[in-house]
Amino acid sequence: MELFEDDKTGISSGQPRPLADKMRPRNISEVLGQNHLLGEGAPLKVAIESRQIPSMILWGPPGSGKTTIATVIAKTVETRFIFFSAVTSGIKDARLVVNEAEKEWQHYNKQAILFVDEIHRFNKAQQDFFLPHVEKGVIILIGATTENPSFEIISPLLSRCTVFTLNMLTGGDIKKLLKRALADKERGLGDYPNQIPDDVLDYLASISDGDARRGLSYLEMITAHFSEKGAEINMEAVGKILQKKTMLYDKSGEEHYNLISALHKSVRGSDVDASLYWLARMLESGEDPMYLARRLVRMAVEDVGVADPNALTIALNAKETYHFLGSPEGDLALAECVVYLATAPKSNKIYAAFNAVKRAVKDNPSEPVPLHIRNAPTGLMKDLGYGRDYKYAHDYDDAFVDQEYLPERLTGRKFYTPSNMGFEKKIAERMAWWQKKKKELGKKGQDD
């Protein structure tokens, strides 16, 4: 379908439109939360300003601005924009619009932007359809997805597209958007007769969980309910309308971040009672339980690690259980997870080790793979020494052989030192055994 008709939205001006649609940004400067892409000198902004738009994949959470950025691009470069949903349409429909775009390209040398929402919904074979048209330049493909493109987009298509990763909007971003809507008399709620307290805006921003559409929908519900001039708007009334329990949230959502910080630090500090208290406090405050579930998964990998490898399984199961049951039964799964994580042995050694590895990669970004562990699928590669002198570990006692696997400049570097906690103590014993074995083999080689 064509997105821009009459009022430039694809919806006739006589039809009521949701506030989120009316407040969609019209230019780059109105897009919030994506300064790394659209700030001064940022890659996407440079591409838009130079009118050199590549085919791209916009990857980000719901409500982060994927469709918005695509429409802003089309308006800025003044080209035809075709909106296409992988949820409601199939390849047959795509073929029709692409064929139409190809005729325009051949006759007028004009490219059309084909925006495919939820592109990951197309299977691998269906995604193949777009390849030749992107290659020839008939269309500029902009795919939007909430899923990791590395796993959901076929490699040939991914290699022909630039991937731009969008950030989840912060509470501050959402609040700024709500205030913008309240001030805008042309598209928003500038004529709304009542004052909405700052703590209510903070609360709406917090429970929107980074989704701009959700935040504007909440605001629209509140203003529709309190439409009469002089209506008193307070947190208790808002909670009843949205059917969410409310507690005080400080300006800019500070209380939200204070509470999650308290929960995380209580779990890290192995205080079960405090951990349960802060969990319940956040749930009673109307916090999104799935946000809490995600944070618990983070705690499992960041603060417990392999000191208790089962912690990650428990956290993921708690997330799935809540997703399956909802409240209030699912709240117990989160509580069980909190108790498990709080009482688990703690270690951040892998977290620290991986950060050290990333620093090493940044300092040595192009170190060549040692020849003996390179892949050698062709005769030429073998002639060049790829795979030469590689020792297959399973051919040796204990499936272990003394050979180097790191690049030459990093030989001997140690990134991970396990703690003496829980299962990580066992890992330390295993690493020590392998190290001892390596020394024995090295000494034997010298003797030989």
PDB file of all heavy atoms in Angstrom, residues 169-178 198-212 214-216 218-219 242 249 252-253 256-257 287:
ATOM      1  N   LEU A 169      13.838   3.182  23.871  1.00  0.00           N
ATOM      2  CA  LEU A 169      13.677   4.536  24.386  1.00  0.00           C
ATOM      3  C   LEU A 169      13.727   4.536  25.909  1.00  0.00           C
ATOM      4  O   LEU A 169      13.229   3.619  26.561  1.00  0.00           O
ATOM      5  CB  LEU A 169      12.355   5.129  23.909  1.00  0.00           C
ATOM      6  CG  LEU A 169      12.175   5.259  22.385  1.00  0.00           C
ATOM      7  CD1 LEU A 169      10.847   5.953  22.086  1.00  0.00           C
ATOM      8  CD2 LEU A 169      13.317   6.016  21.747  1.00  0.00           C
ATOM      9  N   THR A 170      14.325   5.558  26.473  1.00  0.00           N
ATOM     10  CA  THR A 170      14.389   5.688  27.928  1.00  0.00           C
ATOM     11  C   THR A 170      13.103   6.322  28.448  1.00  0.00           C
ATOM     12  O   THR A 170      12.297   6.878  27.684  1.00  0.00           O
ATOM     13  CB  THR A 170      15.575   6.566  28.341  1.00  0.00           C
ATOM     14  OG1 THR A 170      15.345   7.908  27.859  1.00  0.00           O
ATOM     15  CG2 THR A 170      16.883   6.036  27.762  1.00  0.00           C
ATOM     16  N   GLY A 171      12.935   6.267  29.767  1.00  0.00           N
ATOM     17  CA  GLY A 171      11.788   6.931  30.381  1.00  0.00           C
ATOM     18  C   GLY A 171      11.797   8.424  30.078  1.00  0.00           C
ATOM     19  O   GLY A 171      10.747   9.037  29.854  1.00  0.00           O
ATOM     20  N   GLY A 172      13.002   9.014  30.045  1.00  0.00           N
ATOM     21  CA  GLY A 172      13.122  10.436  29.727  1.00  0.00           C
ATOM     22  C   GLY A 172      12.675  10.741  28.305  1.00  0.00           C
ATOM     23  O   GLY A 172      12.042  11.777  28.055  1.00  0.00           O
ATOM     24  N   ASP A 173      13.007   9.835  27.363  1.00  0.00           N
ATOM     25  CA  ASP A 173      12.569  10.012  25.977  1.00  0.00           C
ATOM     26  C   ASP A 173      11.043  10.002  25.884  1.00  0.00           C
ATOM     27  O   ASP A 173      10.440  10.837  25.207  1.00  0.00           O
ATOM     28  CB  ASP A 173      13.132   8.893  25.090  1.00  0.00           C
ATOM     29  CG  ASP A 173      14.632   8.963  24.914  1.00  0.00           C
ATOM     30  OD1 ASP A 173      15.185  10.078  24.936  1.00  0.00           O
ATOM     31  OD2 ASP A 173      15.263   7.895  24.770  1.00  0.00           O
ATOM     32  N   ILE A 174      10.434   9.012  26.567  1.00  0.00           N
ATOM     33  CA  ILE A 174       8.972   8.885  26.504  1.00  0.00           C
ATOM     34  C   ILE A 174       8.300  10.106  27.127  1.00  0.00           C
ATOM     35  O   ILE A 174       7.329  10.638  26.583  1.00  0.00           O
ATOM     36  CB  ILE A 174       8.499   7.605  27.233  1.00  0.00           C
ATOM     37  CG1 ILE A 174       9.143   6.353  26.623  1.00  0.00           C
ATOM     38  CG2 ILE A 174       6.982   7.498  27.195  1.00  0.00           C
ATOM     39  CD1 ILE A 174       8.712   6.034  25.224  1.00  0.00           C
ATOM     40  N   LYS A 175       8.842  10.558  28.250  1.00  0.00           N
ATOM     41  CA  LYS A 175       8.247  11.730  28.909  1.00  0.00           C
ATOM     42  C   LYS A 175       8.342  12.958  28.002  1.00  0.00           C
ATOM     43  O   LYS A 175       7.388  13.757  27.905  1.00  0.00           O
ATOM     44  CB  LYS A 175       8.949  11.998  30.242  1.00  0.00           C
ATOM     45  CG  LYS A 175       8.304  13.138  31.035  1.00  0.00           C
ATOM     46  CD  LYS A 175       8.985  13.337  32.380  1.00  0.00           C
ATOM     47  CE  LYS A 175       8.341  14.481  33.145  1.00  0.00           C
ATOM     48  NZ  LYS A 175       8.997  14.723  34.447  1.00  0.00           N
ATOM     49  N   LYS A 176       9.462  13.126  27.339  1.00  0.00           N
ATOM     50  CA  LYS A 176       9.628  14.244  26.409  1.00  0.00           C
ATOM     51  C   LYS A 176       8.594  14.165  25.291  1.00  0.00           C
ATOM     52  O   LYS A 176       8.015  15.183  24.882  1.00  0.00           O
ATOM     53  CB  LYS A 176      11.043  14.218  25.827  1.00  0.00           C
ATOM     54  CG  LYS A 176      11.380  15.405  24.956  1.00  0.00           C
ATOM     55  CD  LYS A 176      12.840  15.358  24.514  1.00  0.00           C
ATOM     56  CE  LYS A 176      13.196  16.568  23.646  1.00  0.00           C
ATOM     57  NZ  LYS A 176      14.630  16.530  23.229  1.00  0.00           N
ATOM     58  N   LEU A 177       8.342  12.948  24.819  1.00  0.00           N
ATOM     59  CA  LEU A 177       7.345  12.745  23.765  1.00  0.00           C
ATOM     60  C   LEU A 177       5.941  13.078  24.261  1.00  0.00           C
ATOM     61  O   LEU A 177       5.143  13.696  23.547  1.00  0.00           O
ATOM     62  CB  LEU A 177       7.409  11.296  23.281  1.00  0.00           C
ATOM     63  CG  LEU A 177       6.455  10.881  22.163  1.00  0.00           C
ATOM     64  CD1 LEU A 177       6.703  11.724  20.912  1.00  0.00           C
ATOM     65  CD2 LEU A 177       6.626   9.407  21.851  1.00  0.00           C
ATOM     66  N   LEU A 178       5.624  12.675  25.500  1.00  0.00           N
ATOM     67  CA  LEU A 178       4.310  12.978  26.072  1.00  0.00           C
ATOM     68  C   LEU A 178       4.107  14.480  26.198  1.00  0.00           C
ATOM     69  O   LEU A 178       3.035  15.017  25.895  1.00  0.00           O
ATOM     70  CB  LEU A 178       4.164  12.304  27.435  1.00  0.00           C
ATOM     71  CG  LEU A 178       4.287  10.768  27.474  1.00  0.00           C
ATOM     72  CD1 LEU A 178       4.068  10.254  28.895  1.00  0.00           C
ATOM     73  CD2 LEU A 178       3.298  10.110  26.521  1.00  0.00           C
ATOM     74  N   ASP A 198       3.304  16.168  36.971  1.00  0.00           N
ATOM     75  CA  ASP A 198       4.588  15.638  36.516  1.00  0.00           C
ATOM     76  C   ASP A 198       4.787  14.192  36.950  1.00  0.00           C
ATOM     77  O   ASP A 198       5.349  13.382  36.206  1.00  0.00           O
ATOM     78  CB  ASP A 198       5.725  16.508  37.064  1.00  0.00           C
ATOM     79  CG  ASP A 198       6.880  16.599  36.094  1.00  0.00           C
ATOM     80  OD1 ASP A 198       6.646  16.842  34.898  1.00  0.00           O
ATOM     81  OD2 ASP A 198       8.036  16.398  36.534  1.00  0.00           O
ATOM     82  N   ASP A 199       4.316  13.859  38.157  1.00  0.00           N
ATOM     83  CA  ASP A 199       4.522  12.481  38.621  1.00  0.00           C
ATOM     84  C   ASP A 199       3.693  11.499  37.797  1.00  0.00           C
ATOM     85  O   ASP A 199       4.093  10.336  37.609  1.00  0.00           O
ATOM     86  CB  ASP A 199       4.213  12.346  40.119  1.00  0.00           C
ATOM     87  CG  ASP A 199       2.758  12.648  40.455  1.00  0.00           C
ATOM     88  OD1 ASP A 199       2.092  13.344  39.660  1.00  0.00           O
ATOM     89  OD2 ASP A 199       2.291  12.182  41.514  1.00  0.00           O
ATOM     90  N   VAL A 200       2.550  11.938  37.277  1.00  0.00           N
ATOM     91  CA  VAL A 200       1.745  11.072  36.406  1.00  0.00           C
ATOM     92  C   VAL A 200       2.472  10.840  35.083  1.00  0.00           C
ATOM     93  O   VAL A 200       2.512   9.720  34.569  1.00  0.00           O
ATOM     94  CB  VAL A 200       0.348  11.688  36.157  1.00  0.00           C
ATOM     95  CG1 VAL A 200      -0.394  10.914  35.067  1.00  0.00           C
ATOM     96  CG2 VAL A 200      -0.465  11.688  37.450  1.00  0.00           C
ATOM     97  N   LEU A 201       3.077  11.897  34.529  1.00  0.00           N
ATOM     98  CA  LEU A 201       3.845  11.737  33.291  1.00  0.00           C
ATOM     99  C   LEU A 201       5.040  10.809  33.510  1.00  0.00           C
ATOM    100  O   LEU A 201       5.354   9.969  32.654  1.00  0.00           O
ATOM    101  CB  LEU A 201       4.325  13.104  32.787  1.00  0.00           C
ATOM    102  CG  LEU A 201       3.242  14.072  32.289  1.00  0.00           C
ATOM    103  CD1 LEU A 201       3.869  15.400  31.880  1.00  0.00           C
ATOM    104  CD2 LEU A 201       2.475  13.465  31.115  1.00  0.00           C
ATOM    105  N   ASP A 202       5.696  10.940  34.666  1.00  0.00           N
ATOM    106  CA  ASP A 202       6.808  10.035  34.993  1.00  0.00           C
ATOM    107  C   ASP A 202       6.325   8.589  35.037  1.00  0.00           C
ATOM    108  O   ASP A 202       7.003   7.669  34.542  1.00  0.00           O
ATOM    109  CB  ASP A 202       7.423  10.406  36.349  1.00  0.00           C
ATOM    110  CG  ASP A 202       8.248  11.682  36.280  1.00  0.00           C
ATOM    111  OD1 ASP A 202       8.819  11.957  35.207  1.00  0.00           O
ATOM    112  OD2 ASP A 202       8.323  12.396  37.286  1.00  0.00           O
ATOM    113  N   TYR A 203       5.159   8.416  35.636  1.00  0.00           N
ATOM    114  CA  TYR A 203       4.606   7.061  35.765  1.00  0.00           C
ATOM    115  C   TYR A 203       4.252   6.479  34.392  1.00  0.00           C
ATOM    116  O   TYR A 203       4.581   5.328  34.088  1.00  0.00           O
ATOM    117  CB  TYR A 203       3.374   7.092  36.668  1.00  0.00           C
ATOM    118  CG  TYR A 203       2.691   5.755  36.769  1.00  0.00           C
ATOM    119  CD1 TYR A 203       3.313   4.690  37.393  1.00  0.00           C
ATOM    120  CD2 TYR A 203       1.428   5.555  36.217  1.00  0.00           C
ATOM    121  CE1 TYR A 203       2.702   3.448  37.470  1.00  0.00           C
ATOM    122  CE2 TYR A 203       0.810   4.321  36.284  1.00  0.00           C
ATOM    123  CZ  TYR A 203       1.448   3.275  36.923  1.00  0.00           C
ATOM    124  OH  TYR A 203       0.851   2.044  36.983  1.00  0.00           O
ATOM    125  N   LEU A 204       3.590   7.265  33.567  1.00  0.00           N
ATOM    126  CA  LEU A 204       3.231   6.792  32.226  1.00  0.00           C
ATOM    127  C   LEU A 204       4.485   6.426  31.434  1.00  0.00           C
ATOM    128  O   LEU A 204       4.513   5.425  30.714  1.00  0.00           O
ATOM    129  CB  LEU A 204       2.436   7.861  31.477  1.00  0.00           C
ATOM    130  CG  LEU A 204       1.068   8.243  32.051  1.00  0.00           C
ATOM    131  CD1 LEU A 204       0.419   9.318  31.185  1.00  0.00           C
ATOM    132  CD2 LEU A 204       0.155   7.020  32.155  1.00  0.00           C
ATOM    133  N   ALA A 205       5.522   7.246  31.565  1.00  0.00           N
ATOM    134  CA  ALA A 205       6.776   6.975  30.852  1.00  0.00           C
ATOM    135  C   ALA A 205       7.403   5.679  31.346  1.00  0.00           C
ATOM    136  O   ALA A 205       7.919   4.871  30.564  1.00  0.00           O
ATOM    137  CB  ALA A 205       7.747   8.141  31.025  1.00  0.00           C
ATOM    138  N   SER A 206       7.319   5.462  32.652  1.00  0.00           N
ATOM    139  CA  SER A 206       7.938   4.263  33.231  1.00  0.00           C
ATOM    140  C   SER A 206       7.246   2.983  32.786  1.00  0.00           C
ATOM    141  O   SER A 206       7.890   2.016  32.394  1.00  0.00           O
ATOM    142  CB  SER A 206       7.918   4.368  34.756  1.00  0.00           C
ATOM    143  OG  SER A 206       8.419   3.181  35.342  1.00  0.00           O
ATOM    144  N   ILE A 207       5.906   2.958  32.832  1.00  0.00           N
ATOM    145  CA  ILE A 207       5.191   1.723  32.508  1.00  0.00           C
ATOM    146  C   ILE A 207       5.092   1.482  30.999  1.00  0.00           C
ATOM    147  O   ILE A 207       4.621   0.432  30.568  1.00  0.00           O
ATOM    148  CB  ILE A 207       3.776   1.707  33.127  1.00  0.00           C
ATOM    149  CG1 ILE A 207       2.906   2.838  32.563  1.00  0.00           C
ATOM    150  CG2 ILE A 207       3.859   1.764  34.646  1.00  0.00           C
ATOM    151  CD1 ILE A 207       1.460   2.773  33.018  1.00  0.00           C
ATOM    152  N   SER A 208       5.581   2.452  30.208  1.00  0.00           N
ATOM    153  CA  SER A 208       5.577   2.259  28.753  1.00  0.00           C
ATOM    154  C   SER A 208       6.684   1.319  28.310  1.00  0.00           C
ATOM    155  O   SER A 208       6.679   0.837  27.170  1.00  0.00           O
ATOM    156  CB  SER A 208       5.732   3.614  28.047  1.00  0.00           C
ATOM    157  OG  SER A 208       4.645   4.453  28.325  1.00  0.00           O
ATOM    158  N   ASP A 209       7.662   1.076  29.188  1.00  0.00           N
ATOM    159  CA  ASP A 209       8.736   0.114  28.923  1.00  0.00           C
ATOM    160  C   ASP A 209       9.441   0.389  27.593  1.00  0.00           C
ATOM    161  O   ASP A 209       9.708  -0.514  26.803  1.00  0.00           O
ATOM    162  CB  ASP A 209       8.176  -1.314  28.932  1.00  0.00           C
ATOM    163  CG  ASP A 209       9.282  -2.364  29.123  1.00  0.00           C
ATOM    164  OD1 ASP A 209      10.325  -2.013  29.699  1.00  0.00           O
ATOM    165  OD2 ASP A 209       9.100  -3.513  28.674  1.00  0.00           O
ATOM    166  N   GLY A 210       9.728   1.675  27.341  1.00  0.00           N
ATOM    167  CA  GLY A 210      10.496   2.043  26.160  1.00  0.00           C
ATOM    168  C   GLY A 210       9.724   2.087  24.863  1.00  0.00           C
ATOM    169  O   GLY A 210      10.292   2.304  23.795  1.00  0.00           O
ATOM    170  N   ASP A 211       8.400   1.894  24.917  1.00  0.00           N
ATOM    171  CA  ASP A 211       7.573   1.840  23.708  1.00  0.00           C
ATOM    172  C   ASP A 211       6.827   3.164  23.548  1.00  0.00           C
ATOM    173  O   ASP A 211       5.924   3.480  24.329  1.00  0.00           O
ATOM    174  CB  ASP A 211       6.581   0.680  23.824  1.00  0.00           C
ATOM    175  CG  ASP A 211       5.834   0.402  22.528  1.00  0.00           C
ATOM    176  OD1 ASP A 211       5.538   1.367  21.801  1.00  0.00           O
ATOM    177  OD2 ASP A 211       5.533  -0.773  22.254  1.00  0.00           O
ATOM    178  N   ALA A 212       7.191   3.937  22.523  1.00  0.00           N
ATOM    179  CA  ALA A 212       6.583   5.256  22.311  1.00  0.00           C
ATOM    180  C   ALA A 212       5.087   5.141  22.049  1.00  0.00           C
ATOM    181  O   ALA A 212       4.293   5.942  22.559  1.00  0.00           O
ATOM    182  CB  ALA A 212       7.273   5.960  21.146  1.00  0.00           C
ATOM    183  N   ARG A 214       3.014   2.878  23.079  1.00  0.00           N
ATOM    184  CA  ARG A 214       2.317   2.552  24.322  1.00  0.00           C
ATOM    185  C   ARG A 214       2.162   3.792  25.194  1.00  0.00           C
ATOM    186  O   ARG A 214       1.096   4.042  25.773  1.00  0.00           O
ATOM    187  CB  ARG A 214       3.072   1.456  25.080  1.00  0.00           C
ATOM    188  CG  ARG A 214       2.335   0.934  26.297  1.00  0.00           C
ATOM    189  CD  ARG A 214       3.156  -0.091  27.053  1.00  0.00           C
ATOM    190  NE  ARG A 214       3.479  -1.246  26.229  1.00  0.00           N
ATOM    191  CZ  ARG A 214       4.258  -2.255  26.624  1.00  0.00           C
ATOM    192  NH1 ARG A 214       4.799  -2.213  27.831  1.00  0.00           N
ATOM    193  NH2 ARG A 214       4.506  -3.261  25.833  1.00  0.00           N
ATOM    194  N   GLY A 215       3.221   4.582  25.301  1.00  0.00           N
ATOM    195  CA  GLY A 215       3.166   5.788  26.123  1.00  0.00           C
ATOM    196  C   GLY A 215       2.114   6.769  25.640  1.00  0.00           C
ATOM    197  O   GLY A 215       1.339   7.324  26.423  1.00  0.00           O
ATOM    198  N   LEU A 216       2.062   6.982  24.315  1.00  0.00           N
ATOM    199  CA  LEU A 216       1.067   7.901  23.759  1.00  0.00           C
ATOM    200  C   LEU A 216      -0.350   7.339  23.883  1.00  0.00           C
ATOM    201  O   LEU A 216      -1.313   8.096  24.059  1.00  0.00           O
ATOM    202  CB  LEU A 216       1.403   8.196  22.297  1.00  0.00           C
ATOM    203  CG  LEU A 216       2.639   9.083  22.086  1.00  0.00           C
ATOM    204  CD1 LEU A 216       3.070   9.087  20.620  1.00  0.00           C
ATOM    205  CD2 LEU A 216       2.382  10.512  22.567  1.00  0.00           C
ATOM    206  N   TYR A 218      -1.385   5.428  26.388  1.00  0.00           N
ATOM    207  CA  TYR A 218      -1.758   5.669  27.787  1.00  0.00           C
ATOM    208  C   TYR A 218      -2.206   7.123  27.964  1.00  0.00           C
ATOM    209  O   TYR A 218      -3.211   7.408  28.629  1.00  0.00           O
ATOM    210  CB  TYR A 218      -0.580   5.380  28.718  1.00  0.00           C
ATOM    211  CG  TYR A 218      -0.260   3.915  28.908  1.00  0.00           C
ATOM    212  CD1 TYR A 218       1.043   3.511  29.203  1.00  0.00           C
ATOM    213  CD2 TYR A 218      -1.243   2.938  28.823  1.00  0.00           C
ATOM    214  CE1 TYR A 218       1.346   2.172  29.401  1.00  0.00           C
ATOM    215  CE2 TYR A 218      -0.945   1.597  29.012  1.00  0.00           C
ATOM    216  CZ  TYR A 218       0.355   1.219  29.298  1.00  0.00           C
ATOM    217  OH  TYR A 218       0.660  -0.109  29.487  1.00  0.00           O
ATOM    218  N   LEU A 219      -1.449   8.047  27.382  1.00  0.00           N
ATOM    219  CA  LEU A 219      -1.783   9.470  27.517  1.00  0.00           C
ATOM    220  C   LEU A 219      -3.151   9.755  26.896  1.00  0.00           C
ATOM    221  O   LEU A 219      -3.962  10.502  27.456  1.00  0.00           O
ATOM    222  CB  LEU A 219      -0.705  10.322  26.836  1.00  0.00           C
ATOM    223  CG  LEU A 219      -0.917  11.836  26.903  1.00  0.00           C
ATOM    224  CD1 LEU A 219      -0.881  12.312  28.356  1.00  0.00           C
ATOM    225  CD2 LEU A 219       0.141  12.559  26.073  1.00  0.00           C
ATOM    226  N   LEU A 242      -5.946   2.666  34.107  1.00  0.00           N
ATOM    227  CA  LEU A 242      -5.045   1.765  33.371  1.00  0.00           C
ATOM    228  C   LEU A 242      -5.034   0.359  33.958  1.00  0.00           C
ATOM    229  O   LEU A 242      -4.356  -0.523  33.433  1.00  0.00           O
ATOM    230  CB  LEU A 242      -3.627   2.344  33.367  1.00  0.00           C
ATOM    231  CG  LEU A 242      -3.467   3.720  32.715  1.00  0.00           C
ATOM    232  CD1 LEU A 242      -2.019   4.177  32.789  1.00  0.00           C
ATOM    233  CD2 LEU A 242      -3.935   3.692  31.268  1.00  0.00           C
ATOM    234  N   TYR A 249       6.466   7.597  41.660  1.00  0.00           N
ATOM    235  CA  TYR A 249       7.669   7.555  40.826  1.00  0.00           C
ATOM    236  C   TYR A 249       8.224   8.973  40.771  1.00  0.00           C
ATOM    237  O   TYR A 249       7.501   9.924  40.448  1.00  0.00           O
ATOM    238  CB  TYR A 249       7.337   7.074  39.404  1.00  0.00           C
ATOM    239  CG  TYR A 249       7.371   5.581  39.271  1.00  0.00           C
ATOM    240  CD1 TYR A 249       6.402   4.794  39.880  1.00  0.00           C
ATOM    241  CD2 TYR A 249       8.366   4.957  38.549  1.00  0.00           C
ATOM    242  CE1 TYR A 249       6.413   3.420  39.759  1.00  0.00           C
ATOM    243  CE2 TYR A 249       8.390   3.580  38.419  1.00  0.00           C
ATOM    244  CZ  TYR A 249       7.413   2.813  39.024  1.00  0.00           C
ATOM    245  OH  TYR A 249       7.436   1.461  38.903  1.00  0.00           O
ATOM    246  N   SER A 252      11.570  12.076  36.174  1.00  0.00           N
ATOM    247  CA  SER A 252      12.388  11.380  35.184  1.00  0.00           C
ATOM    248  C   SER A 252      12.500   9.891  35.484  1.00  0.00           C
ATOM    249  O   SER A 252      13.438   9.227  35.054  1.00  0.00           O
ATOM    250  CB  SER A 252      13.798  11.993  35.114  1.00  0.00           C
ATOM    251  OG  SER A 252      13.721  13.367  34.813  1.00  0.00           O
ATOM    252  N   GLY A 253      11.531   9.347  36.265  1.00  0.00           N
ATOM    253  CA  GLY A 253      11.552   7.917  36.535  1.00  0.00           C
ATOM    254  C   GLY A 253      12.658   7.511  37.481  1.00  0.00           C
ATOM    255  O   GLY A 253      13.082   6.359  37.507  1.00  0.00           O
ATOM    256  N   HIS A 256      12.030   4.481  39.695  1.00  0.00           N
ATOM    257  CA  HIS A 256      12.096   3.214  38.949  1.00  0.00           C
ATOM    258  C   HIS A 256      13.513   2.667  38.968  1.00  0.00           C
ATOM    259  O   HIS A 256      13.747   1.491  39.263  1.00  0.00           O
ATOM    260  CB  HIS A 256      11.636   3.467  37.513  1.00  0.00           C
ATOM    261  CG  HIS A 256      12.047   2.423  36.537  1.00  0.00           C
ATOM    262  ND1 HIS A 256      11.388   1.228  36.404  1.00  0.00           N
ATOM    263  CD2 HIS A 256      13.073   2.393  35.643  1.00  0.00           C
ATOM    264  CE1 HIS A 256      11.964   0.511  35.464  1.00  0.00           C
ATOM    265  NE2 HIS A 256      12.990   1.193  34.993  1.00  0.00           N
ATOM    266  N   TYR A 257      14.488   3.524  38.668  1.00  0.00           N
ATOM    267  CA  TYR A 257      15.879   3.076  38.612  1.00  0.00           C
ATOM    268  C   TYR A 257      16.436   2.810  40.014  1.00  0.00           C
ATOM    269  O   TYR A 257      17.288   1.937  40.196  1.00  0.00           O
ATOM    270  CB  TYR A 257      16.727   4.102  37.858  1.00  0.00           C
ATOM    271  CG  TYR A 257      16.314   4.207  36.413  1.00  0.00           C
ATOM    272  CD1 TYR A 257      15.601   5.301  35.950  1.00  0.00           C
ATOM    273  CD2 TYR A 257      16.583   3.176  35.512  1.00  0.00           C
ATOM    274  CE1 TYR A 257      15.176   5.383  34.638  1.00  0.00           C
ATOM    275  CE2 TYR A 257      16.174   3.246  34.195  1.00  0.00           C
ATOM    276  CZ  TYR A 257      15.471   4.348  33.759  1.00  0.00           C
ATOM    277  OH  TYR A 257      15.056   4.420  32.454  1.00  0.00           O
ATOM    278  N   GLU A 287       5.317  -2.129  37.927  1.00  0.00           N
ATOM    279  CA  GLU A 287       6.400  -2.423  37.000  1.00  0.00           C
ATOM    280  C   GLU A 287       6.030  -3.591  36.095  1.00  0.00           C
ATOM    281  O   GLU A 287       5.318  -4.510  36.512  1.00  0.00           O
ATOM    282  CB  GLU A 287       7.683  -2.753  37.794  1.00  0.00           C
ATOM    283  CG  GLU A 287       8.909  -2.952  36.942  1.00  0.00           C
ATOM    284  CD  GLU A 287       9.236  -1.718  36.123  1.00  0.00           C
ATOM    285  OE1 GLU A 287       9.695  -0.722  36.704  1.00  0.00           O
ATOM    286  OE2 GLU A 287       9.000  -1.763  34.897  1.00  0.00           O
TER     287      GLU A 287
END
